[in-house]
Amino acid sequence: MEQVFQVTALCLVGALLAVVVRRGSPEMALLLALGAVVVVLLSLAGTVEELLSFFNELGERSGISQQLLIPLYKTVGIALVVKVGGELCRDAGESALAAVVETAGAACALLAALPLLRAVLSLLLEFIE
């Protein structure tokens, strides 16, 4: 819970500084926001590691194959990266680029989920036969 407050405070300070800097140099404001994103992501590395460890344990105990969980992790990661990347593009005033990032993210997420889709198809074919 404490980490949420730290991340929120860092983002608010970064946003306020970006607003002040944006008047004189919009490019520097974008770099400042990007820097805040990197710092937040680095600070969340331990949390993400703990979550992945739990999901691995959950997969082992439930008997679900890691081959099925890995695409899930990739898809979630893609969604998070696309969300941040799209918003940074919008902050830079490039909404068309944000749309391209989101479209590419959707295609990559589908590609990452392909093993899951194949497993579902295989299950369905087994039930039909």
Side-chain angles (χ1 to χ4, degrees):
M1 178 114 168
E2 179 181 316
Q3 192 171 26
V4 170
F5 293 122
Q6 291 173 348
V7 166
T8 303
L10 176 66
C11 289
L12 285 173
V13 168
L16 290 173
L17 288 173
V19 166
V20 170
V21 171
R22 185 170 286 127
R23 292 181 189 138
S25 176
E27 300 85 10
M28 290 302 289
L30 182 61
L31 288 174
L32 181 64
L34 187 59
V37 167
V38 169
V39 170
V40 167
L41 291 177
L42 288 174
S43 74
L44 291 175
T47 302
V48 171
E49 185 178 349
E50 189 175 335
L51 281 171
L52 288 176
S53 174
F54 170 74
F55 287 136
N56 285 333
E57 180 184 342
L58 186 65
E60 288 172 6
R61 289 186 179 192
S62 68
I64 297 173
S65 168
Q66 286 295 332
Q67 299 295 63
L68 295 177
L69 290 177
I70 290 172
L72 181 65
Y73 301 152
K74 288 180 180 180
T75 304
V76 169
I78 290 168
L80 294 173
V81 168
V82 165
K83 175 75 174 162
V84 171
E87 291 301 322
L88 284 171
C89 288
R90 280 189 191 83
D91 282 352
E94 298 294 335
S95 57
L97 287 178
V100 170
V101 167
E102 291 165 354
T103 302
C108 290
L110 283 172
L111 184 63
L114 211 51
L116 289 175
L117 296 173
R118 285 190 176 124
V120 168
L121 178 62
S122 176
L123 260 168
L124 288 174
L125 291 176
E126 283 180 24
F127 286 138
I128 291 173
E129 295 174 354

